[in-house]
Amino acid sequence: MSIIGNLHLKPYEVLSQLDIETSLIISADSDDATLATSTDFGKLVQEIPAAVLYPSSTDDIVKLVNFSNNGVSVPFGIAARGHGHSVRGQAMAPNGVVVVMNFLKNNNNINGIRVSWDPILGFGYADVGGEQLWVDVLHATLEYGLAPVSWTDYLYLSVGGTLSNAGISGQTFRYGPQISNVLEMDVITGKGEFMTCSKHTDSELFFAVLGGLGQFGIITRARIVLEKAPTTVKWVRVLYADFSKFTSDQEHLISIDGMDYVEGSLMMNQSPPNNWRSSFFSHSNQSKILSLISKYGIIYCLEMVKYYDDHSANTVDEELHKLMKGLNFLSGHIFKKETTFVDFLNRVKKGEIKLQSKGLWDVPHPWLNLFVPKSSIMGFNDGVFVDIILRQNKTTGPILVYPTSRTKWDDRMSVVIPEEETFYCVGLLHSCGFQDCESLDGQNEEILNYCRKSDLEIKQYLPHYRTKEAWKNHFGKKWEVFEQRKSQFDPKMILSPGQKIFN
């Protein structure tokens, strides 16, 4: 059954004429449906949609988009909502229609998750519905001894959602972001056309949609690259008091073959050793680290992982030792752990469960995610980590900083990254009470102002801007192409109005 609920605005009363198979229910009493889709993980923005669509099939979405194009005098905005993990209202449709994509899981016998192996190409792939969560993709592919190679730290995100942004984590330096590991997609464009695209077929749409912030099409299927899955991981963390040594060692590790995951983070009084991302350190080790934090103010943690299975179990320790040779971390401050591949990838879920039990998960998250060029990272540390965050000593959450290589990103995609060969992914993952949001948002703005005044050439990841001029500045030389693609695939500017790029 397809449901469109809470149609209060007269322009949308004509939606009752929309022919969606089986049945269409329009109710002025379904406030729960519209309220549930009027906010997101960030808890910072509330935008009430005029309607909510729970599609029984991709055909329902096609009909909805076509109806906005041709069935009304003024087109209404449409936003695809996966897990609702955006933080600034990017998956909302103020006075428009939100499509609840995960409802397809109840009816989606066509896409779902289908695993294949191509003997000619020598690798596997999974055809995955855009509404599917990455954690479900992981478990489905592992049944065949296979798994995707690029991940986000949190697996309870939709495939369509991360591919509309980039999908980054500690594997990005080696395999590229998730958008670099897609072979083919089914997409519903803003004109209501259902199209299958790849690098070789309708490539302009393919590259537009990847990292395209939902502006050009709704992803209903993606073909994801798979490789043989490991079973176990060696998980190591080492500590630094010197940011220069910390970044130098990270850059060394991503320049050589061997490590499967490299990610850095900061530890300070307001961002302690254990957090919701991972409870890695024992109680005694936490006490040891806290004494270092008291001494230095900030401790930088380098996190490394080496995958293995039964065939490589006898050699993994020797390989890891060789890879770590010459690293300049604080002597005696090396911490090791061994866990399963699944538990490592899904490590954030334990933190989520713990925070939910304390009522601390569904709180505001004024996050700020940035790409910082390698040439600017020392200045960023001095001006942001030390002078703003440490000095202000505000309640915060995990702070991530890790490098990746531009060669792993395809410049034809819509996503914007710095021009330099190596750049850093920085995540300021704040959590706060509602009364602290304004203060942390003010800190975020101070950070962005510092970067602008210091000409650090940063780019926002999961970007959020208030003016078209700011969006044009964000895309830079890509803006003209981005605008042309919008005209080609969504000329009436129907899709993803919550991003506020064109409206």
Side-chain angles (χ1 to χ4, degrees):
M1 179 177 290
S2 301
I3 306 168
I4 290 186
N6 205 10
L7 291 161
H8 293 305
L9 301 183
K10 290 182 178 179
Y12 305 132
E13 290 176 1
V14 292
L15 279 169
S16 60
Q17 304 166 27
L18 179 55
D19 178 26
I20 290 183
E21 62 185 57
T22 309
S23 66
L24 175 68
I25 299 175
I26 297 177
S27 171
D29 300 320
S30 55
D31 289 333
D32 288 346
T34 51
L35 287 175
T37 57
S38 68
T39 189
D40 55 20
F41 183 68
K43 299 288 189 294
L44 304 170
V45 177
Q46 186 174 44
E47 299 276 16
I48 305 293
V52 180
L53 173 68
Y54 297 87
S56 62
S57 68
T58 55
D59 286 343
D60 289 352
I61 305 172
V62 170
K63 290 177 181 178
L64 179 71
V65 177
N66 275 319
F67 193 76
S68 181
N69 270 282
N70 307 308
V72 290
S73 57
V74 179
F76 51 85
I78 297 172
R81 179 186 174 95
H83 192 57
H85 208 261
S86 56
V87 296
R88 299 282 177 176
Q90 289 95 332
M92 297 179 194
N95 295 322
V97 180
V98 172
V99 180
V100 180
M101 296 295 289
N102 65 14
F103 204 73
L104 288 172
K105 294 175 75 171
N106 301 330
N107 305 285
N108 201 342
N109 298 317
I110 298 175
N111 290 336
I113 302 172
R114 292 179 289 125
V115 179
S116 305
W117 178 266
D118 191 320
I120 298 176
L121 296 176
F123 61 80
Y125 59 84
D127 285 301
V128 180
E131 77 286 349
Q132 298 291 325
L133 301 183
W134 283 100
V135 67
D136 297 321
V137 176
L138 172 64
H139 290 300
T141 56
L142 282 176
E143 292 183 12
Y144 299 84
L146 303 169
V149 295
S150 188
W151 298 95
T152 52
D153 282 342
Y154 182 59
L155 300 186
Y156 289 77
L157 304 174
S158 69
V159 170
T162 66
L163 296 184
S164 295
N165 289 283
I168 58 173
S169 184
Q171 300 92 353
T172 303
F173 79 93
R174 181 166 183 180
Y175 297 103
Q178 291 179 319
I179 55 175
S180 293
N181 294 278
V182 181
L183 301 174
E184 181 180 280
M185 291 183 293
D186 288 339
V187 173
I188 300 169
T189 72
K191 294 192 292 187
E193 299 171 325
F194 182 88
M195 300 177 67
T196 298
C197 57
S198 69
K199 289 182 180 180
H200 309 292
T201 303
D202 290 309
S203 60
E204 189 70 21
L205 177 62
F206 181 77
F207 291 118
V209 168
L210 293 172
L213 306 177
Q215 290 298 311
F216 313 107
I218 297 173
I219 300 168
T220 62
R221 177 186 64 92
R223 179 167 290 180
I224 308 297
V225 174
L226 306 176
E227 287 191 357
K228 184 181 177 184
T231 57
T232 320
V233 308
K234 293 282 186 179
W235 192 358
V236 181
R237 291 187 181 182
V238 293
L239 306 183
Y240 298 77
D242 187 312
F243 187 73
S244 178
K245 291 179 180 178
F246 167 68
T247 53
S248 178
D249 282 357
Q250 286 199 81
E251 290 164 18
H252 166 70
L253 288 173
I254 73 165
S255 71
I256 61 175
D257 291 330
M259 287 295 183
D260 294 294
Y261 175 97
V262 174
E263 197 166 284
S265 60
L266 273 61
M267 298 175 180
M268 54 186 79
N269 285 331
Q270 63 266 49
S271 186
N274 281 347
N275 52 58
W276 57 261
R277 281 186 64 254
S278 172
S279 296
F280 184 91
F281 299 102
S282 67
H283 181 74
S284 60
N285 285 336
Q286 286 187 72
S287 299
K288 186 178 179 182
I289 296 168
L290 288 172
S291 67
L292 284 175
I293 293 172
S294 297
K295 180 178 180 180
Y296 293 104
I298 300 179
I299 290 297
Y300 305 97
C301 176
L302 172 53
E303 187 174 5
M304 301 159 281
V305 168
K306 181 69 179 170
Y307 300 157
Y308 69 100
D309 55 23
D310 291 342
H311 298 293
S312 53
N314 293 330
T315 60
V316 65
D317 287 325
E318 183 182 352
E319 290 177 31
L320 192 57
H321 179 74
K322 288 179 180 178
L323 291 169
M324 293 182 62
K325 190 175 182 180
L327 297 186
N328 293 301
F329 55 88
L330 290 171
S331 178
H333 292 85
I334 178 171
F335 307 89
K336 298 181 179 180
K337 202 172 189 179
E338 188 173 294
T339 189
T340 67
F341 178 61
V342 171
D343 283 348
F344 169 69
L345 290 182
N346 203 24
R347 61 200 178 280
V348 177
K349 186 62 178 178
K350 292 181 180 178
E352 178 187 353
I353 293 170
K354 186 179 296 184
L355 289 178
Q356 282 180 336
S357 68
K358 299 177 180 179
L360 298 175
W361 182 257
D362 293 319
V363 298
H365 297 91
W367 287 7
L368 180 62
N369 289 276
L370 305 171
F371 293 144
V372 182
K374 173 185 171 181
S375 64
S376 298
I377 198 63
M378 295 302 295
F380 190 91
N381 177 65
D382 294 339
V384 176
F385 293 150
V386 176
D387 191 48
I388 296 179
I389 295 177
L390 181 63
R391 173 175 55 83
Q392 294 185 4
N393 193 30
K394 293 179 179 177
T395 302
T396 183
I399 301 175
L400 308 181
V401 51
Y402 56 96
T404 187
S405 171
R406 186 179 177 85
T407 58
K408 302 296 184 180
W409 301 64
D410 194 316
D411 201 45
R412 293 171 290 181
M413 297 174 182
S414 292
V415 68
V416 180
I417 59 176
E419 294 291 333
E420 293 184 14
E421 170 55 33
T422 301
F423 62 93
Y424 279 77
C425 307
V426 175
L428 308 175
L429 309 183
H430 305 296
S431 299
C432 64
F434 285 93
Q435 68 278 7
D436 297 321
C437 282
E438 188 175 342
S439 176
L440 283 169
D441 250 354
Q443 185 183 79
N444 288 340
E445 194 58 40
E446 185 177 349
I447 291 168
L448 292 173
N449 286 334
Y450 169 80
C451 292
R452 281 191 289 267
K453 291 177 181 177
S454 303
D455 295 322
L456 297 190
E457 301 295 332
I458 58 107
K459 292 293 182 183
Q460 284 193 35
Y461 176 58
L462 311 177
H464 166 71
Y465 300 99
R466 295 182 177 90
T467 67
K468 188 172 183 179
E469 193 60 35
W471 278 109
K472 290 173 70 174
N473 183 63
H474 168 77
F475 283 103
K477 66 180 185 181
K478 281 191 173 184
W479 172 252
E480 187 176 338
V481 172
F482 196 85
E483 206 170 29
Q484 288 172 352
R485 287 170 168 174
K486 187 67 171 177
S487 297
Q488 181 179 355
F489 299 116
D490 185 20
K492 294 189 178 180
M493 301 182 185
I494 289 168
L495 298 179
S496 293
Q499 295 278 4
K500 293 181 168 57
I501 300 176
F502 294 99
N503 52 321

